[in-house]
Amino acid sequence: RDVELRLLAQELAESTVRISDLVGAMKAYSYMDQGLDQQEVDLKEGIINTLIILKHRLRKKDLKLVKEFEPVPKLMAYGSELNQVWTNLLSNAIDAAPEGGTVTLRLTHDR
């Protein structure tokens, strides 16, 4: 019984962390508390937040995710609209990938 309670407490703690991560990602993803003007956008952060939101879809298809991110400069953009682009691209990649397959994300910068 004691072991069951410990496992349940551990599962609850892990779930709380996942929920917290998801709420934080949603806030950043939607650019809450920020105006409608263009702003400095971190592309890597936007992609990672989108991945957090879509993580359940990757898990459902048992997909392996490979991230190859080079450092890229921030740019002026409409952050929430750009995140919609990431969502559409990643959703399409997840849909196209076979069960148990791999989705590779590459972020590069031409100098």
Side-chain angles (χ1 to χ4, degrees):
R1 176 111 180 139
D2 190 42
V3 172
E4 287 178 23
L5 287 175
R6 283 189 203 151
L7 289 173
L8 186 59
Q10 180 181 353
E11 187 175 324
L12 182 61
E14 290 170 0
S15 296
T16 302
V17 168
R18 282 195 304 270
I19 290 169
S20 177
D21 288 347
L22 185 57
V23 169
M26 284 301 297
K27 183 175 179 182
Y29 176 88
S30 64
Y31 283 79
M32 286 174 55
D33 303 330
Q34 298 183 24
L36 300 175
D37 297 329
Q38 285 190 355
Q39 55 215 294
E40 199 171 59
V41 174
D42 183 330
L43 298 177
K44 180 180 174 184
E45 181 181 330
I47 293 169
I48 289 173
N49 287 329
T50 304
L51 286 170
I52 291 169
I53 293 165
L54 296 176
K55 190 175 193 174
H56 68 285
R57 294 196 54 213
L58 289 162
R59 214 178 297 138
K60 186 176 180 180
K61 284 187 77 173
D62 192 30
L63 295 175
K64 178 182 174 191
L65 178 66
V66 176
K67 295 181 279 188
E68 299 173 0
F69 293 162
E70 292 180 6
V72 297
K74 292 182 180 182
L75 56 95
M76 294 301 289
Y78 296 101
S80 59
E81 292 179 11
L82 198 51
N83 284 340
Q84 280 297 302
V85 172
W86 307 143
T87 301
N88 291 335
L89 289 171
L90 290 167
S91 289
N92 289 341
I94 291 167
D95 290 343
E99 186 94 20
T102 300
V103 173
T104 302
L105 300 176
R106 242 177 237 110
L107 180 62
T108 64
H109 176 251
D110 289 336
R111 291 166 185 76

